[in-house]
Amino acid sequence: MQRTRLIQAFRNFLPAESVLAATEDLRPYECDALSAYRQLPMIVVLPQTEAEIAEILRICHAEQVPVVARGAGTGLSGGAQPHAEGVLVSLAKLNRILEIDPLACSARVQPGVRNLAISEAAEVYGLYYAPDPSSQIACTIGGNVAENSGGVHCLKYGLTVHNILKLRVLTIEGACLEIGGDALDSPGYDLLALLTGSEGMLGIVTEITVKLLPKPETAKLVMAMFDDIKKAGEAVANVIRAGIIPAGMEMMDKITIHAVEDFIHAGYDKDAAAILLCESDGLEEEVADEIRQIQAILTASGAVRVDTSRNEHERQRFWAGRKAAFPAAGRISPDYYCMDGTIPRKHLAQVLQQIEQLSVEYGLRCMNVFHAGDGNLHPLILYDANQPGELQKAEDFGARILEICIAAGGTLTGEHGVGIEKLNQMCLQFSDAERELFHALKSAFDPSMLLNPGKAVPTLHRCAEFGAMHVHRGTEKFPEIPRF
Amino acid sequence: MQRTRLIQAFRNFLPAESVLAATEDLRPYECDALSAYRQLPMIVVLPQTEAEIAEILRICHAEQVPVVARGAGTGLSGGAQPHAEGVLVSLAKLNRILEIDPLACSARVQPGVRNLAISEAAEVYGLYYAPDPSSQIACTIGGNVAENSGGVHCLKYGLTVHNILKLRVLTIEGACLEIGGDALDSPGYDLLALLTGSEGMLGIVTEITVKLLPKPETAKLVMAMFDDIKKAGEAVANVIRAGIIPAGMEMMDKITIHAVEDFIHAGYDKDAAAILLCESDGLEEEVADEIRQIQAILTASGAVRVDTSRNEHERQRFWAGRKAAFPAAGRISPDYYCMDGTIPRKHLAQVLQQIEQLSVEYGLRCMNVFHAGDGNLHPLILYDANQPGELQKAEDFGARILEICIAAGGTLTGEHGVGIEKLNQMCLQFSDAERELFHALKSAFDPSMLLNPGKAVPTLHRCAEFGAMHVHRGTEKFPEIPRF
């Protein structure tokens, strides 16, 4: 029997506690943070070295068994969901920081290192790693690479792909590739971005060289209250139009403000229809200058109140509400479903209005808290899984939001990935030719389709079915999506 | 006869003057700026629309005829060299700026638009396009995408790949792909970087959306003279170590200083062993602060003289010498061969010393003028093509420099691409597994290998032969390369 043979093969070079096969041992791996989808893997292995991973891959390749890699399991799109007949490779034990080079401003780390641990280790050199997903205490850099994670500060500092230099990657055959380099450019095809955000479909990353940045001398945060969310959306556009790229620019709507203020007491004005948080970081003089400009633009854009943090404590307090938005949602609703779509900034007000209409249509509340500067929405759909049909309604509502984002010229993910959650919407986002090319690229890396099968790129068959399903709702394909 | 049939097929939808087949009409297309390699194409076509390019590709695909795309022909590695039995597609007539969006800070342009023309058109909005290759007056954005071009300011602002948002690309079958998007992240595999720098091997780019940046308020240039090139190399490291990313950081050695000062009279000190130019741009206060820091670090690093531009005129004068380095080489030597390798900054002094030794060994002078900040060397090997054997010696010398760069942990190209010039060194840069993957990726896009065949990625056979050739010079593979 294949399962027994595999367990035996893995135990030949891994300690017994690193090869899990009993149901109770597999349970912790059955889902990532998108907990609505659950699946036990056949076997879980916990290698500690690149050589061990290579051997695992060679065995799985020889046996033609699917392989799913897993970081900390904090993903929100089901990218790390196990395969029922597959091996789940946890990278948790590859958790060493191998080297910090303060001259090159880089760190070489293993995939299981936590995001925040890199900045903590680099602090002694006055350096840090910029991308800061909300889960940065827990999530690992390997998972960040797989999902191309962002964070509050990615408006100014970019996503994971903009902050890594080099990867060591194992192919499904167990061969090692070195991708990227220390120089700005490298010859041959640029595979660094292709691998980043590829959701474990092309290879398993065993080592990452990340860029480190000098810690900014200072940071200040402007908090602006608006009596109309459209004015707040316009204010975002006005700041960018003035040539300012804030370190972060976050927006919260009324329902979010109430939820977090009752919870955290960050000092948000509960009469506001929207709050905009706008951060500047850098040298003292530069920040002072930029903050003055931001204050003037927000006031001219119709903010009813503009407060600026007077010290680090106050800056942290202003941020505290925003950072507590997800747990605050958990306080006012039994369940919530976090979406992740991105739209051109200019359509912000219009898309928020459409979400509002859908909220009425589905009879579900929706908190809007998002990275306004880069147009990355995170609508939190509030529902109660114990009410029959509400989960389905929440999922439908979420899918409609993604379709609105696509119709607005945006994309169906800002930083959470496609995983299993957004497969259908990939049919809308890309043409047949584009999806066929994706499959051809996947084949170039993994001809037998063993790495994380069924994720990220839908089959042509699935898209045909999804199209047919949509036709039933109207007279032609996707007619319900208003085009801008 | 295929040639006649193709000409007829093209003339069915292109005006007669856009289908060239007479030898005298083909002559201007026989090489790019790497003029040592020449080849006439079978036919040249000059389409004016994307639909025309798609039709050309469909015809070539049906006839299984190679296709080479060409921008302005300013490339330095032979990437646009025609194929003897192929069709050369000039993109010169797709030269319109389609849209400038000052709010999104982006411009949508056709591939034949000149690099500098984008900044000229954006100037009215206070915006510009950052990458500035030396050839920016002439080179086109389509060629910049194909080669992932850099420039003096890419240390701070990145290469082409960091400054584009979206591409429209035609496959060899004539299908249109939209790649990238207006948002920071996009779902599916990230193909934007894969396409950028792919040297026309994967598709033909028909439209590019580039990022525009706000023009800096001011810029100042520090010019530092050193009596020892090692100290200058160390100074570069010290500036970066202090957390400063200058807008540009360029170095010239003694022979370059003499050549340009005699030519341009930029005010360079001819007693200096090396000159470092270090620019800061941004807000007035920010620049003043950064310039003070740079002056202090360069002085502490042993600069014998540190001058700072007092006005825009002086800044331009200090730059003038650096910018005239290539024509200055032409004044002191009948021919020169420009190389392009990149090394980790910390090995700068050591690699320069090795180049010096090779210069003695080959009996050829070499001017070193380069993007010091990002370790991108541009050695100019001086030779006389009329002296029998000198071209060959210059090429061997150049190849050795690339091999030294690779051995130092660097790469064989900084911004000029591989083309046909550096195919052999690609065998050293990448492992068999890596090159096999490159070929598999090429197949995913272009299974019949019709797009720009023979460029950028060497065949396994060629690498085997190159390996064998190197064995003859020593006892094992590549023994002459000192490892760091």
Side-chain angles (χ1 to χ4, degrees):
Chain A
M1 192 190 158
Q2 192 183 43
R3 184 164 173 277
T4 318
R5 201 163 60 231
L6 281 169
I7 292 170
Q8 192 46 54
F10 294 145
R11 290 211 168 131
N12 280 342
F13 63 97
L14 291 175
E17 71 273 17
S18 296
V19 183
L20 311 179
T23 304
E24 66 273 20
D25 293 337
L26 300 178
R27 190 68 67 194
Y29 298 92
E30 72 178 345
C31 65
D32 59 16
L34 180 75
S35 56
Y37 302 77
R38 288 167 192 273
Q39 174 62 57
L40 288 182
M42 179 167 66
I43 302 169
V44 171
V45 286
L46 294 113
Q48 201 158 12
T49 66
E50 186 185 81
E52 287 172 358
I53 303 174
E55 188 56 26
I56 292 164
L57 288 168
R58 277 190 288 266
I59 291 168
C60 290
H61 185 242
E63 293 274 345
Q64 293 286 294
V65 170
V67 178
V68 179
R70 180 187 176 95
T74 55
L76 286 161
S77 60
Q81 198 200 28
H83 191 285
E85 281 109 45
V87 172
L88 187 114
V89 181
S90 166
L91 299 168
K93 290 192 174 180
L94 284 97
N95 61 356
R96 284 186 309 129
I97 295 177
L98 302 168
E99 186 188 2
I100 292 184
D101 183 339
L103 175 54
C105 295
S106 67
R108 200 158 54 83
V109 304
Q110 291 188 315
V113 171
R114 289 176 308 108
N115 174 299
L116 195 60
I118 301 173
S119 294
E120 286 167 355
E123 194 167 12
V124 58
Y125 304 106
L127 300 170
Y128 79 114
Y129 176 66
D132 55 348
S134 306
S135 56
Q136 69 176 147
I137 301 174
C139 67
T140 58
I141 186 73
N144 292 177
V145 170
E147 301 296 330
N148 193 18
S149 307
V152 162
H153 290 92
C154 68
L155 173 61
K156 181 168 176 183
Y157 296 106
L159 298 165
T160 304
V161 68
H162 306 109
N163 288 279
I164 59 173
L165 291 166
K166 215 160 52 173
L167 297 175
R168 281 176 72 90
V169 179
L170 293 177
T171 67
I172 184 66
E173 288 94 356
C176 184
L177 311 172
E178 288 200 25
I179 286 174
D182 298 305
L184 266 181
D185 192 22
S186 56
Y189 301 120
D190 183 345
L191 306 185
L192 196 63
L194 179 64
L195 264 295
T196 309
S198 66
E199 308 196 18
M201 309 266 295
L202 305 182
I204 294 188
V205 172
T206 57
E207 199 177 292
I208 302 122
T209 304
V210 302
K211 289 185 205 170
L212 300 175
L213 297 180
K215 282 186 77 166
E217 193 175 291
T218 191
K220 284 195 173 185
L221 185 62
V222 176
M223 171 169 71
M225 269 65 93
F226 291 85
D227 58 9
D228 179 351
I229 197 161
K230 271 169 90 170
K231 284 186 199 162
E234 194 53 36
V236 171
N238 291 339
V239 170
I240 301 289
R241 194 180 279 131
I244 299 170
I245 305 291
M249 186 150 49
E250 298 287 307
M251 206 195 285
M252 287 166 280
D253 67 359
K254 195 175 190 73
I255 168 168
T256 308
I257 296 166
H258 278 248
V260 301
E261 188 57 24
D262 290 345
F263 177 33
I264 290 287
H265 313 294
Y268 297 168
D269 185 342
K270 287 169 72 176
D271 290 334
I275 286 181
L276 198 60
L277 297 175
C278 197
E279 184 156 280
S280 172
D281 68 9
L283 301 172
E284 291 281 0
E285 290 158 349
E286 192 185 349
V287 169
D289 190 69
E290 196 168 271
I291 288 287
R292 268 193 300 275
Q293 290 185 61
I294 290 170
Q295 288 165 333
I297 294 167
L298 296 181
T299 304
S301 304
V304 290
R305 204 175 117 198
V306 176
D307 292 348
T308 303
S309 64
R310 284 161 301 183
N311 50 50
E312 184 57 18
H313 172 75
E314 201 165 61
R315 188 177 78 91
Q316 293 295 350
R317 188 163 66 91
F318 289 174
W319 269 125
R322 165 65 185 89
K323 290 191 173 169
F326 285 34
R331 285 182 82 236
I332 64 166
S333 173
D335 299 285
Y336 63 89
Y337 182 34
C338 171
M339 299 310 298
D340 166 50
T342 303
I343 55 168
R345 280 184 291 263
K346 59 185 168 190
H347 295 317
L348 217 45
Q350 201 172 343
V351 168
L352 290 175
Q353 215 169 347
Q354 289 181 279
I355 293 175
E356 177 62 34
Q357 284 162 6
L358 287 178
S359 173
V360 174
E361 184 180 327
Y362 284 98
L364 294 175
R365 290 175 298 169
C366 180
M367 286 168 59
N368 279 297
V369 43
F370 54 96
H371 310 313
D374 42 10
N376 184 191
L377 306 179
H378 286 318
L380 296 176
I381 300 169
L382 307 183
Y383 71 100
D384 181 353
N386 288 326
Q387 298 297 321
E390 279 220 348
L391 169 61
Q392 184 61 47
K393 273 208 289 185
E395 287 185 350
D396 288 352
F397 184 177
R400 292 280 292 280
I401 292 176
L402 296 183
E403 290 162 19
I404 288 171
C405 290
I406 297 170
T411 76
L412 58 84
T413 173
E415 53 191 9
H416 296 172
V418 175
I420 46 175
E421 181 196 25
K422 299 169 182 172
L423 281 170
N424 283 340
Q425 284 69 40
M426 288 288 283
C427 307
L428 305 179
Q429 182 93 68
F430 293 103
S431 70
D432 284 353
E434 287 158 350
R435 275 179 277 104
E436 270 174 43
L437 176 61
F438 287 161
H439 289 298
L441 285 170
K442 163 76 172 165
S443 285
F445 281 86
D446 176 21
S448 37
M449 305 285 171
L450 295 175
L451 285 166
N452 214 7
K455 310 286 173 68
V457 186
T459 60
L460 299 182
H461 178 69
R462 181 181 181 130
C463 285
E465 280 197 343
F466 179 65
M469 187 178 79
H470 268 244
V471 172
H472 296 157
R473 291 209 234 152
T475 52
E476 52 177 292
K477 264 192 177 182
F478 323 127
E480 80 281 21
I481 305 170
R483 295 272 157 193
F484 289 78
Chain B
M1 193 192 160
Q2 192 183 43
R3 184 165 174 277
T4 319
R5 199 164 59 230
L6 281 169
I7 292 169
Q8 191 46 53
F10 294 144
R11 291 210 168 131
N12 280 342
F13 63 97
L14 291 174
E17 71 273 18
S18 296
V19 183
L20 311 178
T23 304
E24 65 272 23
D25 294 334
L26 301 177
R27 191 67 69 196
Y29 299 91
E30 72 178 344
C31 64
D32 60 16
L34 180 75
S35 56
Y37 302 78
R38 288 166 192 274
Q39 174 61 56
L40 287 182
M42 178 167 68
I43 302 169
V44 171
V45 286
L46 294 112
Q48 202 158 10
T49 66
E50 185 186 80
E52 287 172 359
I53 303 172
E55 188 57 26
I56 291 163
L57 288 169
R58 277 189 289 265
I59 292 167
C60 291
H61 184 241
E63 293 273 346
Q64 293 285 297
V65 170
V67 178
V68 178
R70 181 187 175 95
T74 55
L76 287 161
S77 59
Q81 196 199 30
H83 190 285
E85 282 110 44
V87 172
L88 187 116
V89 181
S90 166
L91 299 169
K93 290 191 174 180
L94 283 95
N95 60 357
R96 284 186 308 130
I97 294 178
L98 301 170
E99 187 189 1
I100 293 184
D101 183 340
L103 174 55
C105 294
S106 66
R108 201 160 53 83
V109 304
Q110 292 188 314
V113 171
R114 290 176 307 107
N115 173 300
L116 195 61
I118 301 174
S119 293
E120 286 166 356
E123 193 167 14
V124 59
Y125 304 105
L127 299 170
Y128 79 115
Y129 176 66
D132 55 346
S134 305
S135 56
Q136 71 174 146
I137 301 173
C139 67
T140 59
I141 185 73
N144 291 177
V145 170
E147 300 295 332
N148 193 19
S149 307
V152 163
H153 290 93
C154 68
L155 173 60
K156 181 168 176 180
Y157 296 107
L159 299 165
T160 303
V161 69
H162 306 109
N163 289 278
I164 60 173
L165 291 167
K166 214 159 53 173
L167 297 175
R168 281 176 72 90
V169 179
L170 293 177
T171 67
I172 183 68
E173 288 94 358
C176 183
L177 309 174
E178 288 201 26
I179 287 175
D182 299 305
L184 266 181
D185 191 21
S186 56
Y189 301 120
D190 184 345
L191 306 184
L192 196 63
L194 179 65
L195 265 295
T196 310
S198 65
E199 308 196 19
M201 308 266 296
L202 305 182
I204 294 188
V205 173
T206 57
E207 200 178 292
I208 301 121
T209 304
V210 302
K211 288 184 206 172
L212 300 175
L213 296 180
K215 284 186 76 168
E217 194 176 292
T218 192
K220 284 196 172 184
L221 185 62
V222 176
M223 172 169 70
M225 268 66 92
F226 291 85
D227 57 10
D228 180 351
I229 197 160
K230 271 170 92 171
K231 286 185 199 163
E234 193 53 36
V236 171
N238 291 338
V239 170
I240 300 289
R241 193 179 282 131
I244 298 169
I245 305 292
M249 186 148 53
E250 299 287 306
M251 206 195 287
M252 287 167 280
D253 68 358
K254 195 175 189 76
I255 168 169
T256 307
I257 296 167
H258 277 247
V260 302
E261 188 56 26
D262 290 347
F263 177 32
I264 289 286
H265 313 295
Y268 296 167
D269 184 345
K270 287 168 74 175
D271 290 333
I275 285 180
L276 196 61
L277 298 174
C278 197
E279 184 157 278
S280 172
D281 67 10
L283 301 171
E284 291 282 358
E285 289 159 351
E286 190 186 354
V287 170
D289 189 70
E290 194 167 273
I291 289 286
R292 269 192 301 273
Q293 289 185 59
I294 291 170
Q295 289 165 333
I297 294 167
L298 297 180
T299 305
S301 304
V304 290
R305 204 176 117 197
V306 176
D307 292 349
T308 302
S309 64
R310 284 161 302 184
N311 50 50
E312 184 57 19
H313 172 75
E314 202 165 62
R315 188 178 77 91
Q316 294 294 352
R317 187 163 66 90
F318 288 174
W319 268 124
R322 164 63 184 91
K323 291 191 174 170
F326 284 34
R331 285 181 82 236
I332 65 167
S333 173
D335 299 284
Y336 64 88
Y337 182 33
C338 172
M339 299 311 296
D340 166 48
T342 303
I343 54 167
R345 280 184 291 260
K346 59 185 168 191
H347 295 316
L348 217 45
Q350 199 170 346
V351 168
L352 290 174
Q353 215 170 349
Q354 289 181 282
I355 293 175
E356 177 62 35
Q357 284 162 5
L358 287 178
S359 172
V360 174
E361 183 181 326
Y362 284 98
L364 294 175
R365 289 176 300 169
C366 180
M367 286 168 58
N368 280 297
V369 44
F370 54 96
H371 310 312
D374 42 9
N376 184 192
L377 305 178
H378 285 317
L380 297 175
I381 300 169
L382 307 181
Y383 71 99
D384 182 352
N386 288 327
Q387 298 297 320
E390 278 220 349
L391 170 61
Q392 184 60 47
K393 272 207 288 185
E395 286 185 349
D396 289 350
F397 185 176
R400 292 280 293 277
I401 291 176
L402 296 183
E403 290 161 20
I404 288 170
C405 290
I406 296 170
T411 77
L412 56 83
T413 173
E415 54 191 9
H416 296 173
V418 175
I420 46 177
E421 182 196 26
K422 298 168 182 172
L423 280 171
N424 284 341
Q425 284 69 40
M426 287 288 282
C427 307
L428 304 180
Q429 182 92 67
F430 294 101
S431 70
D432 284 352
E434 287 159 349
R435 275 180 277 103
E436 271 174 43
L437 176 62
F438 287 160
H439 289 298
L441 285 171
K442 163 78 170 162
S443 283
F445 281 86
D446 176 21
S448 37
M449 306 282 172
L450 295 175
L451 286 167
N452 214 8
K455 311 285 173 68
V457 185
T459 59
L460 298 182
H461 178 71
R462 181 178 183 134
C463 285
E465 281 198 339
F466 179 66
M469 187 178 81
H470 267 243
V471 172
H472 296 158
R473 288 209 235 151
T475 52
E476 53 177 291
K477 264 193 176 180
F478 322 129
E480 80 280 20
I481 304 171
R483 295 274 157 189
F484 287 78

Coordinates of all heavy atoms in Angstrom, one line a residue, chain A residues 208-244:
Chain A
I208 N 15.8 32.1 1.5 CA 15.4 33.4 0.9 C 16.4 34.5 1.4 O 16.7 34.6 2.5 CB 14.0 33.8 1.5 CG1 13.0 32.7 1.1 CG2 13.6 35.2 1.0 CD1 12.3 32.2 2.3
T209 N 16.9 35.3 0.4 CA 17.7 36.4 0.8 C 16.8 37.7 0.6 O 16.3 37.9 -0.5 CB 18.9 36.6 -0.2 OG1 19.7 35.4 -0.1 CG2 19.8 37.7 0.3
V210 N 16.5 38.3 1.7 CA 15.6 39.5 1.7 C 16.5 40.8 1.8 O 17.6 40.8 2.3 CB 14.7 39.4 2.9 CG1 13.8 38.2 2.9 CG2 15.4 39.6 4.3
K211 N 15.9 41.8 1.3 CA 16.5 43.2 1.4 C 16.1 43.7 2.8 O 15.0 43.5 3.3 CB 15.8 44.2 0.5 CG 16.2 44.0 -1.0 CD 15.6 45.1 -1.8 CE 15.4 44.7 -3.2 NZ 14.6 45.6 -4.0
L212 N 17.1 44.4 3.4 CA 16.8 45.1 4.7 C 16.9 46.6 4.4 O 17.7 47.0 3.6 CB 17.8 44.7 5.7 CG 17.8 43.2 6.1 CD1 19.0 42.9 7.1 CD2 16.5 42.7 6.7
L213 N 16.1 47.4 5.1 CA 16.1 48.8 4.9 C 16.6 49.5 6.2 O 16.4 48.9 7.3 CB 14.8 49.3 4.6 CG 14.1 48.9 3.3 CD1 12.8 49.5 3.1 CD2 15.0 49.3 2.1
P214 N 17.2 50.7 6.1 CA 17.6 51.4 7.3 C 16.3 51.8 8.0 O 15.3 52.3 7.3 CB 18.3 52.6 6.8 CG 18.6 52.4 5.3 CD 17.6 51.4 4.9
K215 N 16.2 51.7 9.3 CA 15.0 52.1 10.0 C 14.9 53.6 9.9 O 15.8 54.3 10.1 CB 15.2 51.7 11.5 CG 14.9 50.2 11.8 CD 14.9 49.9 13.2 CE 13.6 50.4 13.9 NZ 13.4 49.8 15.3
P216 N 13.7 54.1 9.6 CA 13.5 55.5 9.4 C 13.8 56.2 10.8 O 13.5 55.7 11.8 CB 12.0 55.6 9.1 CG 11.5 54.3 8.8 CD 12.4 53.3 9.4
E217 N 14.3 57.4 10.7 CA 14.7 58.2 11.8 C 13.4 58.5 12.7 O 13.5 58.4 13.9 CB 15.3 59.5 11.3 CG 16.0 60.3 12.4 CD 16.7 61.5 11.7 OE1 17.6 61.3 10.9 OE2 16.2 62.7 11.9
T218 N 12.3 58.8 12.0 CA 11.1 59.1 12.7 C 9.9 58.7 11.9 O 10.0 58.5 10.7 CB 11.1 60.6 13.1 OG1 10.0 60.8 14.1 CG2 10.8 61.5 12.0
A219 N 8.7 58.7 12.5 CA 7.5 58.4 11.8 C 6.4 59.2 12.5 O 6.4 59.3 13.8 CB 7.1 56.9 11.8
K220 N 5.5 59.8 11.7 CA 4.3 60.5 12.3 C 3.1 60.1 11.6 O 3.1 59.7 10.4 CB 4.5 62.0 12.2 CG 5.4 62.6 13.2 CD 5.3 64.1 13.3 CE 6.2 64.5 14.5 NZ 6.1 65.9 14.8
L221 N 1.9 60.1 12.3 CA 0.7 59.6 11.7 C -0.4 60.7 11.8 O -0.6 61.3 12.9 CB 0.2 58.4 12.5 CG -1.0 57.7 12.0 CD1 -0.8 57.1 10.6 CD2 -1.4 56.5 12.9
V222 N -1.0 61.0 10.7 CA -2.1 61.9 10.6 C -3.4 61.1 10.7 O -3.5 60.1 9.9 CB -2.1 62.8 9.4 CG1 -3.3 63.7 9.3 CG2 -0.8 63.6 9.3
M223 N -4.3 61.5 11.5 CA -5.7 60.9 11.6 C -6.7 61.9 11.2 O -6.8 62.9 11.8 CB -5.9 60.4 13.0 CG -7.3 59.8 13.2 SD -7.5 59.0 14.8 CE -7.4 60.3 15.9
A224 N -7.4 61.6 10.1 CA -8.4 62.6 9.6 C -9.8 62.0 9.6 O -10.0 60.9 9.2 CB -8.0 63.0 8.1
M225 N -10.7 62.8 10.1 CA -12.1 62.3 10.2 C -12.9 63.0 9.1 O -12.7 64.2 8.8 CB -12.7 62.8 11.5 CG -12.6 61.7 12.6 SD -10.9 61.4 13.2 CE -10.7 62.6 14.5
F226 N -13.8 62.2 8.4 CA -14.6 62.8 7.3 C -16.1 62.5 7.7 O -16.4 61.5 8.3 CB -14.2 62.1 6.0 CG -12.9 62.5 5.5 CD1 -11.7 61.8 5.9 CD2 -12.7 63.6 4.6 CE1 -10.5 62.2 5.5 CE2 -11.5 63.9 4.1 CZ -10.4 63.3 4.6
D227 N -17.0 63.4 7.2 CA -18.4 63.2 7.4 C -19.0 62.5 6.2 O -20.2 62.3 6.1 CB -19.1 64.5 7.8 CG -19.0 65.5 6.7 OD1 -18.4 65.2 5.6 OD2 -19.3 66.7 6.9
D228 N -18.2 62.1 5.2 CA -18.7 61.5 4.0 C -17.5 60.6 3.5 O -16.4 61.1 3.3 CB -19.0 62.6 3.0 CG -19.5 62.1 1.7 OD1 -19.5 60.8 1.5 OD2 -20.0 62.9 0.9
I229 N -17.8 59.4 3.2 CA -16.7 58.5 2.8 C -16.2 58.8 1.4 O -15.1 58.6 1.1 CB -17.2 57.0 2.9 CG1 -16.0 56.0 2.9 CG2 -18.2 56.6 1.8 CD1 -16.2 54.6 3.4
K230 N -17.1 59.4 0.6 CA -16.6 59.8 -0.7 C -15.5 60.9 -0.7 O -14.6 60.9 -1.4 CB -17.8 60.4 -1.6 CG -18.6 59.3 -2.3 CD -19.9 59.8 -2.9 CE -19.7 60.4 -4.3 NZ -21.1 60.6 -4.9
K231 N -15.7 61.8 0.3 CA -14.7 62.9 0.5 C -13.4 62.2 0.9 O -12.3 62.6 0.5 CB -15.1 63.9 1.6 CG -16.2 64.8 1.1 CD -16.4 65.9 2.2 CE -17.8 66.6 2.0 NZ -18.2 67.2 3.3
A232 N -13.4 61.2 1.8 CA -12.2 60.5 2.2 C -11.5 59.8 1.0 O -10.3 59.9 0.9 CB -12.6 59.4 3.3
G233 N -12.3 59.2 0.1 CA -11.8 58.6 -1.1 C -11.1 59.6 -2.0 O -10.0 59.4 -2.5
E234 N -11.8 60.8 -2.1 CA -11.2 61.9 -2.9 C -9.9 62.4 -2.2 O -8.9 62.7 -3.0 CB -12.2 63.0 -3.0 CG -12.0 64.0 -4.0 CD -11.8 63.5 -5.4 OE1 -12.4 62.5 -5.8 OE2 -10.9 64.1 -6.1
A235 N -9.9 62.4 -0.9 CA -8.7 62.9 -0.2 C -7.5 62.0 -0.5 O -6.3 62.4 -0.7 CB -8.9 62.9 1.3
V236 N -7.7 60.7 -0.6 CA -6.6 59.7 -0.9 C -6.0 60.1 -2.3 O -4.8 60.2 -2.4 CB -7.2 58.3 -0.9 CG1 -6.1 57.3 -1.5 CG2 -7.6 57.8 0.5
A237 N -6.9 60.3 -3.2 CA -6.5 60.6 -4.6 C -5.7 62.0 -4.6 O -4.7 62.1 -5.2 CB -7.7 60.8 -5.5
N238 N -6.2 62.9 -3.8 CA -5.5 64.2 -3.7 C -4.1 64.1 -3.2 O -3.2 64.8 -3.6 CB -6.3 65.2 -2.9 CG -7.6 65.6 -3.7 OD1 -7.7 65.4 -4.9 ND2 -8.6 66.1 -2.9
V239 N -3.9 63.3 -2.2 CA -2.6 63.1 -1.6 C -1.6 62.5 -2.6 O -0.5 63.1 -2.9 CB -2.6 62.2 -0.3 CG1 -1.2 61.8 0.1 CG2 -3.3 62.9 0.8
I240 N -2.1 61.5 -3.3 CA -1.2 60.8 -4.3 C -1.0 61.8 -5.5 O 0.2 61.9 -6.0 CB -1.9 59.6 -4.9 CG1 -2.2 58.6 -3.7 CG2 -1.1 58.9 -6.0 CD1 -1.0 57.9 -3.2
R241 N -2.0 62.5 -5.9 CA -1.9 63.5 -7.0 C -0.8 64.5 -6.7 O -0.2 65.1 -7.6 CB -3.2 64.2 -7.2 CG -3.4 64.9 -8.5 CD -4.8 65.6 -8.6 NE -5.8 64.6 -9.1 CZ -7.0 64.4 -8.5 NH1 -7.3 65.1 -7.4 NH2 -7.8 63.6 -9.0
A242 N -0.6 64.9 -5.4 CA 0.4 65.9 -5.0 C 1.8 65.3 -5.0 O 2.8 66.0 -4.7 CB 0.0 66.4 -3.6
G243 N 1.9 64.0 -5.4 CA 3.3 63.5 -5.5 C 3.8 62.9 -4.2 O 5.0 62.7 -4.1
I244 N 2.9 62.7 -3.2 CA 3.3 62.2 -1.9 C 3.0 60.7 -1.9 O 1.9 60.3 -2.3 CB 2.5 62.9 -0.8 CG1 2.9 64.4 -0.8 CG2 2.9 62.2 0.5 CD1 2.0 65.2 0.1

